[in-house]
Amino acid sequence: MAIAASRGQVTGQRRLGLLPAEATSFVGRTAELAGIADLLGSTRMVTVVGPAGVGKSRVSLRAAASAAGQFPDGVWLADLGGIGHPAAVVGTVAKALGLPEADLPAVLGHLRGRRLLLILDTCEHLVDACATFADVVLRSAPGVSLLATSRQPLDTQGEHAFPLLPLAAATDAVELFAQRAAAVLPGFTLTPQHQADVVRLCARLDGIPLAIELAAVRLRALPLGELASQLESGIRLLTVSRRGTSPRHQTLRAAVDWSYQLCTPAERALWERLSVFAGTFDVSGAEDVCADDVLPRDQVVYALVGLVDKSVVLRDDTDPSRYRLLAALREFGADRFEAPGRCLDQLAARLGAMARDFDERFRSSPRPGGHGFGHGAAAEAPRDQVTALRGLHQEYENIRAVLGYTLASDEPAGDLARGRLGADLAVRLSCYWQVRGQFDEGRQWLGRVADLFPEPARERAWALGERGRLATFQGDFARAVADISESIRLASAVGRDADLAVARGYLYLNLALAFAGRYAEAEAAGETARHRLTDCGHRVGVIGLEAQLAHLHLLTGDAAAAVECCDRGLAMLADAGGGAGQPGTERWISGYLHLVSGLALIQCPGREQAAALALSRALAAKHELGDALGTAYAIEGLAWLAAQREQYERTAWLLGAADRLWDSTGRRLSGVAVMEESRQRAVKAARGALGERRFTVAYAHATTLGLDAVVRDAVAEAAAGQRDGAPGEPGTAVAAPVPAAVVLTKREREIADLVASGMSNREIATQLFISKRTVDAHVEHIFAKLEISSRVKLTMWLQAQAGISA
């Protein structure tokens, strides 16, 4: 039954002219209410659109109540959720308006000449009828405005769709849960001890208010911590019913099922198939994974558009080219999908191809024939590494799901092909885990491969080698040496890919032994690695060995030999077409070479500027990749250099910035004793010069700076030193700028300067009074013009241009 807000007419026991009172407190939505209010002040047709349970009706009623002063003839509510036939729309509106006649002429006659807001609540099952009615009203009654709620837009002329997104998990969603929990359990308060569990719970429920309210009811039976843990394995626990609400909102499943019933057969089929994606996906991913005999490939995109329109599939917040299913909708689809195996296999194949491409870009290995692990050397011209890394990062939740699926069996013989696919994926991801600083997780997955494939399986040999490599960077040297040594033994016995596997094994063993302080053994392993890598024709492996040998020389105190190794490695890399600093070229190994060179140059008298240039070059490359470990090393080196230059406040805050990264990657400086001694000398010098209080303040300054600001500072100082006349040295020059002939427009230069200052695209849009989308387009155009791929590279280009004009 409809209730309206206007002149206080009385019908039976219920007064027309009042919106329904709010039975519970209203939480958050300040920005959304302001946005709807602005639209109601400037347009006549607003549709609040969003997924099941997101709070469309509640927010719309609150917005309408706030806007009531704009409408002398009131705000009227027609609840369409209880009707099932399109023909009943007009009659329901007439009843809401208190009219004795239920036909369209009577409704239009009543509305003409009045200035009122009419709310059409819950339109998604009557879209065509509601659109037709809205169009007639807008044309016939110019004083009437319409506010609709629907899971999909009405697509009528003049409509402004307002998307209502879930609540932010860490803020408004937490407050909503706390208030509803207090209603269920008198005396419940949100304490610091509760905070983590509540945030985890709200994130698991995607910030959907209906789900959060139903979860709060479960506190009658379950402690908070247990409830949060139970929901981690699925939200089917939320079967509790809310009395006194519409049937579609009494349970979460009923709310979702309502959406399912409104979908076409093709949309339902796609919904079920999309449930295999644990994370976001793009159109090509949906086509690759979901197409089959029931849902042809050329129909996938049309079904996807339909699901987006119906708010079943949402666009990703950070990348509009990607999509996601909320947890409740994903689980609903999975429950209805009777045979997900084929889609999971297709997802595994797609992600396996992406991982192979990534591995080739970072380690220059060719595409192996058949089952993988062919980390060879045929492809010696790496393509853009940042793009490959970003692609895997976007797919990582799906990758986790596929690893769990392919490596789930205790007996690989039960599905040998699937197990090998998972093993290949895990091995190919080793470099990704190193870049992202996810050492523990990488070791766990590789350990599962090793457990799944008993010796003498080649999968076990590769997995142990990669696990040992990750253990090296965590300072777990005993386990690292043991795993790598076992990998070499197994690979020698397997036969297939044995030469390359053994060569890589000795490459890994060289670094593990060097970090462990076993220098003579490390040197011997390095020589063996050089011979075997050369025999395999693995040129990039040899270049990587130069970086590791340089590190070994650095640890043994032979800085000159370390620099010589790095220069030789950089020259070899340039000969192979992978010179750093050029668009789309190698960053991974070159960044490592510049890093070790910079650390060594600190120890060479009179070469401080060369050290600064090398470390800034390493920092730019590692930061652009998102390599937390490499970035931490580079910042650490800059701190030591600052101490040597007696720039002690700079030393302190750089140490603070490095420690923030070490905290996220694990053991500081990989637990290497010699490196830690260098750090402690810098700490002692800075603390002694500044005193404890000033040192502490400067050290804490890093917490107020973003990582981008640290990188910009390092690049700026290196560029300033070069402009002041410090000579460039082999392997240490700042990356060559884009040719000066590239001209940015006045607006592009303005935006480029703001980007370089550290402002986000949204902040730039606010300052320049333009839309964020316009700023996004300008930034993309600037990157395309300059042939760069990051904000760091843009900063470097601007610094170089400043030097040219100086």
Side-chain angles (χ1 to χ4, degrees):
M1 184 172 183
I3 306 172
S6 183
R7 295 174 176 173
Q9 295 167 291
V10 178
T11 302
Q13 300 298 315
R14 193 181 294 270
R15 280 198 317 146
L16 295 176
L18 294 176
L19 291 175
E22 295 181 333
T24 57
S25 59
F26 189 91
V27 175
R29 299 296 195 189
T30 303
E32 291 90 339
L33 291 172
I36 296 171
D38 288 344
L39 286 175
L40 289 175
S42 60
T43 187
R44 294 179 57 212
M45 175 71 192
V46 179
T47 303
V48 177
V49 180
V54 79
K56 298 180 293 295
S57 298
R58 186 73 185 274
V59 169
S60 296
L61 289 173
R62 170 62 72 105
S66 299
Q70 302 175 34
F71 303 99
D73 293 305
V75 178
W76 300 77
L77 169 65
D79 185 352
L80 307 178
I83 65 175
H85 197 282
V89 169
V90 173
T92 302
V93 173
K95 190 173 183 180
L97 295 171
L99 302 179
E101 299 174 349
D103 55 41
L104 185 58
V107 171
L108 295 177
H110 177 80
L111 294 177
R112 287 190 186 97
R114 284 181 164 81
R115 291 179 57 197
L116 60 83
L117 175 64
L118 176 60
I119 303 172
L120 302 177
D121 189 28
T122 313
C123 300
E124 57 265 10
H125 60 307
L126 304 164
V127 168
D128 290 340
C130 289
T132 299
F133 175 77
D135 185 66
V136 172
V137 169
L138 293 174
R139 293 175 184 274
S140 304
V144 174
S145 294
L146 298 175
L147 176 60
T149 70
S150 178
R151 297 183 189 182
Q152 71 180 101
L154 304 186
D155 289 331
T156 189
Q157 188 172 2
E159 178 189 38
H160 288 252
F162 185 91
L164 189 65
L165 300 177
L167 295 169
T171 52
D172 289 344
V174 169
E175 178 61 24
L176 176 64
F177 181 85
Q179 292 193 20
R180 299 300 181 264
V184 172
L185 294 177
F188 177 91
T189 57
L190 188 61
T191 66
Q193 291 75 22
H194 293 147
Q195 186 80 22
D197 283 334
V198 175
V199 170
R200 180 161 57 104
L201 180 150
C202 291
R204 181 66 182 87
L205 299 178
D206 289 313
I208 294 293
L210 175 60
I212 291 168
E213 292 180 340
L214 293 173
V217 174
R218 280 296 182 193
L219 288 178
R220 291 177 181 149
L222 293 173
L224 176 58
E226 185 175 342
L227 175 61
S229 297
Q230 293 267 355
L231 289 174
E232 287 292 336
S233 59
I235 62 176
R236 297 172 184 85
L237 180 69
L238 302 183
T239 55
V240 63
S241 178
R242 297 197 311 178
R243 300 180 181 87
T245 60
S246 63
R248 69 183 185 281
H249 282 155
Q250 287 181 356
T251 69
L252 187 58
R253 187 172 185 85
V256 176
D257 186 67
W258 172 272
S259 288
Y260 187 80
Q261 299 305 321
L262 298 176
C263 293
T264 67
E267 291 166 353
R268 293 178 186 179
L270 181 59
W271 182 344
E272 294 169 5
R273 286 153 179 76
L274 289 175
S275 67
V276 303
F277 287 99
T280 65
F281 56 89
D282 57 15
V283 173
S284 66
E287 292 173 335
D288 289 347
V289 172
C290 301
D292 57 19
D293 295 338
V294 174
L295 185 65
R297 186 180 183 92
D298 61 359
Q299 294 300 308
V300 170
V301 68
Y302 297 105
L304 179 60
V305 169
L307 291 176
V308 172
D309 280 345
K310 292 180 172 66
S311 300
V312 173
V313 170
L314 301 183
R315 286 185 179 274
D316 185 54
D317 297 338
T318 58
D319 185 348
S321 70
R322 297 185 68 81
Y323 304 86
R324 64 189 176 105
L325 276 174
L326 297 175
L329 284 78
R330 184 171 64 250
E331 289 187 14
F332 181 92
D335 288 344
R336 301 189 69 93
F337 197 14
E338 296 179 354
R342 178 175 176 176
C343 286
L344 283 167
D345 288 342
Q346 290 173 165
L347 178 58
R350 173 183 170 83
L351 296 177
M354 290 182 66
R356 285 192 295 276
D357 178 65
F358 167 85
D359 190 51
E360 289 162 17
R361 297 194 201 195
F362 273 71
R363 301 202 267 203
S364 296
S365 51
R367 293 186 183 276
H371 295 297
F373 310 121
H375 301 281
E380 294 290 347
R383 289 156 288 160
D384 182 42
Q385 295 173 333
V386 175
T387 300
L389 185 66
R390 185 181 299 122
L392 284 185
H393 184 58
Q394 290 174 325
E395 297 282 354
Y396 195 65
E397 290 301 316
N398 301 322
I399 287 171
R400 279 189 175 130
V402 164
L403 286 171
Y405 168 67
T406 55
L407 301 177
S409 174
D410 292 332
E411 282 294 332
D415 196 335
L416 189 59
R418 183 175 296 161
R420 282 178 171 165
L421 187 62
D424 182 72
L425 178 60
V427 169
R428 299 284 190 176
L429 288 170
S430 175
C431 198
Y432 172 85
W433 285 317
Q434 183 180 337
V435 173
R436 300 295 302 178
Q438 296 172 244
F439 299 103
D440 285 333
E441 182 172 358
R443 290 174 69 180
Q444 288 169 9
W445 287 119
L446 291 164
R448 187 176 294 190
V449 173
D451 292 341
L452 200 59
F453 290 89
E455 56 178 283
R458 50 195 293 278
E459 290 82 5
R460 178 179 176 83
W462 280 105
L464 287 174
E466 299 298 341
R467 187 174 73 173
R469 176 76 167 183
L470 296 180
T472 298
F473 291 105
Q474 287 191 296
D476 189 356
F477 303 132
R479 179 62 62 83
V481 171
D483 274 354
I484 296 168
S485 299
E486 178 69 0
S487 169
I488 294 171
R489 185 188 71 80
L490 290 173
S492 299
V494 168
R496 185 181 174 190
D497 290 337
D499 291 342
L500 180 59
V502 172
R504 276 197 175 276
Y506 279 108
L507 178 70
Y508 295 170
L509 187 61
N510 162 259
L511 190 68
L513 290 169
F515 277 18
R518 296 161 62 176
Y519 301 135
E521 294 171 85
E523 185 174 358
E527 284 305 308
T528 303
R530 184 188 300 279
H531 291 309
R532 289 183 174 271
L533 290 167
T534 301
D535 290 344
C536 291
H538 198 342
R539 183 176 175 82
V540 171
V542 175
I543 297 172
L545 178 62
E546 291 290 353
Q548 292 186 185
L549 292 175
H551 213 144
L552 174 60
H553 289 310
L554 176 66
L555 297 177
T556 57
D558 193 346
V563 173
E564 184 179 344
C565 281
C566 291
D567 288 346
R568 185 165 53 245
L570 287 166
M572 294 169 65
L573 195 59
D575 290 343
Q582 300 302 319
T585 57
E586 208 284 329
R587 297 170 178 82
W588 175 242
I589 298 176
S590 64
Y592 186 21
L593 287 162
H594 285 300
L595 171 64
V596 180
S597 179
L599 293 173
L601 286 165
I602 294 174
Q603 300 179 16
C604 298
R607 303 191 70 182
E608 289 91 348
Q609 184 57 33
L613 291 170
L615 290 170
S616 69
R617 182 81 171 270
L619 180 57
K622 293 300 186 181
H623 180 53
E624 187 172 12
L625 286 172
D627 177 1
L629 184 74
T631 301
Y633 267 107
I635 295 173
E636 188 81 33
L638 288 168
W640 302 351
L641 178 61
Q644 187 167 295
R645 290 173 160 178
E646 299 183 354
Q647 300 170 333
Y648 294 121
E649 288 196 355
R650 178 178 175 81
T651 301
W653 72 258
L654 284 169
L655 289 170
D659 278 349
R660 290 177 65 189
L661 290 168
W662 293 128
D663 288 343
S664 68
T665 59
R667 197 168 177 186
R668 188 170 63 207
L669 294 163
S670 303
V672 179
V674 173
M675 304 287 280
E676 184 63 28
E677 289 172 6
S678 296
R679 175 195 169 87
Q680 292 307 320
R681 283 194 294 271
V683 171
K684 182 178 180 180
R687 183 174 273 125
L690 298 176
E692 189 62 36
R693 189 185 66 81
R694 285 180 62 197
F695 177 86
T696 301
V697 170
Y699 179 91
H701 178 60
T703 62
T704 67
L705 296 173
L707 191 56
D708 287 344
V710 175
V711 175
R712 283 196 305 274
D713 178 274
V715 171
E717 178 164 293
Q722 192 177 46
R723 288 198 301 271
D724 289 342
E729 302 194 32
T732 61
V734 172
V738 177
V742 174
V743 178
L744 300 181
T745 66
K746 182 178 180 181
R747 176 63 96 181
E748 287 171 345
R749 183 57 188 247
E750 181 180 28
I751 289 175
D753 288 337
L754 293 174
V755 168
S757 74
M759 294 178 68
S760 68
N761 287 8
R762 190 173 300 281
E763 290 169 337
I764 294 170
T766 301
Q767 178 160 325
L768 299 181
F769 299 101
I770 57 179
S771 71
K772 178 180 176 293
R773 183 172 297 179
T774 299
V775 177
D776 293 341
H778 275 302
V779 172
E780 288 180 10
H781 194 210
I782 292 167
F783 282 8
K785 269 190 177 183
L786 303 182
E787 297 182 306
I788 59 177
S789 58
S790 77
R791 302 166 95 86
V792 172
K793 290 289 186 183
L794 177 57
T795 302
M796 295 175 71
W797 183 81
L798 290 169
Q799 292 285 351
Q801 294 303 302
I804 291 170
S805 62

